[in-house]
Amino acid sequence: MIDVMPDEAKQSYRRFKRTMEVLTKDPEPEVGLTPKEVIWTRNKTKLYRYISDKPKKHSTPLLMVYALINKPYILDITKGSSLVEYLLDQGFDVYMLDWGTPGYEDRNMKLDDFILDYIPRAVKKVLRTSKSDSISMLGYCMGGTMTSIFASLHPELPIKNLVFMTSPFDFEDTGLYGSFLDDRFFDVDKVVETLGNVPPEMIDFGNKMLDPLSNFIGPYVTLYDRSENPKFVESWRLMQKWLQDGIPFPGEAYRQWIREFYQQNKLIKDELVIRGRKVDLSAISANVLNISGERDVIAMPHQVEALMNKISSKDKKYVCVPTGHVSVTFGPKAVSLTFPTIGDWLAERSN
């Protein structure tokens, strides 16, 4: 029957068949393939040191800090498209803080706990392990926002370089998020009291609602259109695995994140208080590279760039790359633009 179909129908059939195989039969892709060792743990959190046979060229170690949602292997998703692998190949000593998967017993954890109890210990462990007298830090998404708070509260620590990647700092204009999270309609207290930890499905649904047609239907239309391209299919499978691999957001930290950032915009106004200590971003004096994504709707460029007028750093650079929130670190533009931007900037400041 297929043999007598018109060529266009044959192609449609092949695409449909391959799409169904990808969705129902193909095994999950392997991720996070760069060798690593766990050098410190606390509760669910692990601190990794990545292992490489490439010689170390830079004496300043780099600690990566990810957000409290999804999993950090987006920074090491696959060979050839891994920021971790790229930086190791450039001769950096690379570490990563993996928050792990919180359980119901972690529902009372606040941002204060992560910023004041976890990150400082991880930084000190990296300094001891690397035998270095200074450190570089890279924060992605919410991880960068948390890193900025940490750095402002710890001017005594030898933080030499800070890299922020699509991290929001100003929440005055958050686009559709502002409508979704308006405190007149969104009762964050009721959400936390009902759920404890906020499930990843709820957060993923909210993100997708920023552009429902593209996010709910678009990936499958694109998969069908390009299902005969093995390289595209592999990238598609990797991205879908990561997007669906979310983790719960600890309830009290979520309450703070929504109320004090999205609803009250306290960070940029110098009104945020973490465990009794006022956060003043002007206390940051380290070298800063601040990266935004031109098409990012989760952390829009103006939200990211706002940091530049707050910090006291003399050496500071803002770069807006032609990517979205995730494609800043995964995909061809990440490899050709983001990775070298970070690597070259750090290389000049890590010895």
Side-chain angles (χ1 to χ4, degrees):
M1 179 179 174
I2 297 173
D3 293 338
V4 300
M5 287 181 178
D7 288 345
E8 188 174 332
K10 287 180 182 177
Q11 184 184 53
S12 295
Y13 173 77
R14 289 197 307 270
R15 288 179 176 177
F16 177 78
K17 183 173 181 288
R18 180 64 187 126
T19 299
M20 290 300 101
E21 289 173 350
V22 173
L23 294 175
T24 63
K25 290 185 177 180
D26 284 7
E28 282 195 355
E30 294 185 356
V31 293
L33 299 177
T34 304
K36 58 185 179 291
E37 59 179 341
V38 177
I39 62 169
W40 175 81
T41 64
R42 182 184 174 99
N43 193 12
K44 314 297 193 312
T45 299
K46 296 178 181 178
L47 175 62
Y48 301 126
R49 184 185 196 182
Y50 287 90
I51 301 167
S52 174
D53 55 6
K54 300 289 174 63
K56 294 286 187 294
K57 297 178 182 177
H58 309 289
S59 59
T60 307
L62 173 65
L63 172 61
M64 295 180 167
V65 180
Y66 190 61
L68 297 178
I69 54 175
N70 288 105
K71 293 186 178 177
Y73 64 71
I74 187 66
L75 296 167
D76 180 37
I77 195 162
T78 191
K79 289 186 179 298
S81 192
S82 161
L83 178 57
V84 168
E85 177 189 51
Y86 177 87
L87 292 172
L88 284 175
D89 289 347
Q90 297 299 308
F92 290 95
D93 189 10
V94 182
Y95 301 75
M96 184 186 290
L97 201 53
D98 181 345
W99 300 114
T101 302
Y104 184 70
E105 66 277 10
D106 300 309
R107 66 193 180 280
N108 293 321
M109 290 189 68
K110 302 178 69 174
L111 293 176
D112 309 44
D113 302 314
F114 295 106
I115 292 168
L116 293 180
D117 295 337
Y118 286 67
I119 299 180
R121 286 170 173 78
V123 165
K124 290 171 183 176
K125 182 64 177 180
V126 169
L127 289 168
R128 287 196 301 271
T129 303
S130 64
K131 297 180 174 60
S132 175
D133 57 6
S134 63
I135 189 171
S136 297
M137 299 181 70
L138 182 152
Y140 180 25
C141 183
M142 180 189 182
T145 314
M146 294 168 65
T147 298
S148 74
I149 297 168
F150 159 77
S152 71
L153 292 175
H154 290 86
E156 79 284 358
L157 291 177
I159 304 170
K160 189 174 186 180
N161 305 304
L162 290 168
V163 179
F164 300 110
M165 192 162 64
T166 62
S167 299
F169 301 99
D170 186 349
F171 295 79
E172 184 66 33
D173 174 12
T174 57
L176 281 177
Y177 279 136
S179 300
F180 297 162
L181 301 172
D182 189 312
D183 59 7
R184 293 173 297 172
F185 316 114
F186 186 80
D187 189 339
V188 68
D189 292 329
K190 188 169 288 186
V191 170
V192 173
E193 288 158 13
T194 301
L195 299 173
N197 291 331
V198 178
E201 294 83 3
M202 178 175 166
I203 295 165
D204 183 55
F205 183 82
N207 289 337
K208 287 179 176 176
M209 284 300 292
L210 294 173
D211 188 353
L213 194 61
S214 295
N215 291 326
F216 286 106
I217 300 171
Y220 301 99
V221 173
T222 308
L223 174 62
Y224 170 81
D225 287 341
R226 303 180 67 181
S227 59
E228 294 180 288
N229 180 337
K231 189 173 182 180
F232 170 81
V233 169
E234 181 61 19
S235 292
W236 189 93
R237 290 168 65 235
L238 285 163
M239 181 51 52
Q240 292 304 307
K241 174 179 172 59
W242 179 74
L243 287 172
Q244 295 168 20
D245 207 5
I247 60 174
F249 200 137
E252 286 302 323
Y254 178 83
R255 193 197 308 262
Q256 283 177 285
W257 183 241
I258 299 303
R259 172 166 290 144
E260 300 191 27
F261 292 80
Y262 279 93
Q263 294 180 343
Q264 299 175 348
N265 196 23
K266 287 186 174 182
L267 176 61
I268 206 73
K269 295 178 180 178
D270 301 327
E271 296 173 359
L272 183 67
V273 175
I274 296 291
R275 199 178 288 167
R277 299 172 63 186
K278 186 177 178 181
V279 177
D280 182 357
L281 292 174
S282 68
I284 295 175
S285 58
N287 306 323
V288 169
L289 173 63
N290 192 18
I291 300 172
S292 69
E294 186 180 308
R295 300 189 305 275
D296 192 345
V297 294
I298 292 176
M300 294 181 285
H302 69 267
Q303 292 183 262
V304 176
E305 188 178 11
L307 177 73
M308 305 307 286
N309 291 329
K310 299 292 292 185
I311 56 180
S312 300
S313 310
K314 293 180 180 178
D315 182 348
K316 56 184 178 180
K317 182 178 183 181
Y318 170 72
V319 179
C320 184
V321 292
T323 69
H325 189 72
V326 180
S327 55
V328 73
T329 191
F330 176 67
K333 287 184 178 177
V335 173
S336 63
L337 293 175
T338 309
F339 294 4
T341 297
I342 293 172
D344 293 348
W345 186 87
L346 279 174
E348 294 177 8
R349 297 161 177 83
S350 296
N351 295 318

